[in-house]
Amino acid sequence: MNKESDLANASNAAERFFRLYRSHCVSPDLDTLFSFLEAAHSLNDRLQIANELDFFDVPEFSALKCLRNFFHHHQELRHVVRLVPAGGYPIVTDLMTLCLVSSDIVERAVDETRGRHKEETRLACGVVFHWYGTVVNINPALFNLWCPLTSA
């Protein structure tokens, strides 16, 4: 492939990423979440080829990629994630929807992360996810992921 083709692929991947981000924000469901995680993974791959960019220095990306890999290879997302409107619960959140994953699922996903990014991923998950005992709200990381990407 040539540079022009690589840039077109990256552009298409970015468009898909933002379309799925919008879908998750406007009408979230389990399919849009997994598709969004896949699109973030794909966008990183395409940008590495087109512009030699790598989002592993973005904590939200590291944390969400860890979950994407776990859901992709080990666990069906549909049975372990719940999308919950925040209203009416005794919880403080800055977003209207919680995207809850069991904390032991997040811990297993981190433990199964291999290579040089494992410790960074563990730290990122601790910072960018909101931990509430046995559940983890991943929605803040989903919401904030695109911010550093727009300046890349």
Side-chain angles (χ1 to χ4, degrees):
M1 290 194 151
N2 60 34
K3 189 69 168 175
E4 187 175 305
S5 177
D6 292 342
L7 288 172
N9 281 335
S11 177
N12 291 336
E15 287 178 23
R16 182 176 55 254
F17 172 84
F18 284 106
R19 270 194 322 271
L20 290 166
Y21 173 73
R22 181 186 182 280
S23 293
H24 176 73
C25 290
V26 172
S27 183
D29 64 33
L30 299 176
D31 294 327
T32 59
L33 175 60
F34 188 71
S35 295
F36 177 75
L37 294 175
E38 290 284 334
H41 174 81
S42 177
L43 177 58
N44 188 55
D45 288 348
R46 302 298 179 267
L47 286 174
Q48 285 175 344
I49 294 167
N51 288 333
E52 298 179 12
L53 294 173
D54 190 343
F55 294 141
F56 274 104
D57 59 341
V58 176
E60 290 83 359
F61 179 78
S62 295
L64 292 169
K65 181 168 171 54
C66 164
L67 286 179
R68 176 262 175 208
N69 288 345
F70 185 78
F71 294 140
H72 183 79
H73 296 288
H74 300 288
Q75 182 80 42
E76 175 59 36
L77 177 74
R78 185 172 312 276
H79 302 294
V80 296
V81 173
R82 297 290 177 261
L83 297 165
V84 180
Y89 292 99
I91 195 167
V92 176
T93 182
D94 47 356
L95 300 170
M96 295 304 297
T97 303
L98 303 169
C99 188
L100 301 176
V101 180
S102 170
S103 58
D104 57 328
I105 294 287
V106 176
E107 291 164 1
R108 281 180 50 206
V110 170
D111 288 341
E112 293 192 15
T113 300
R114 289 180 263 152
R116 60 189 171 121
H117 299 292
K118 185 172 188 165
E119 193 52 36
E120 292 144 356
T121 299
R122 181 179 310 286
L123 292 171
C125 288
V127 171
V128 302
F129 295 155
H130 293 188
W131 294 74
Y132 302 110
T134 60
V135 295
V136 179
N137 181 13
I138 67 168
N139 218 29
L142 295 168
F143 180 79
N144 291 316
L145 173 63
W146 69 271
C147 296
L149 303 185
T150 58
S151 63

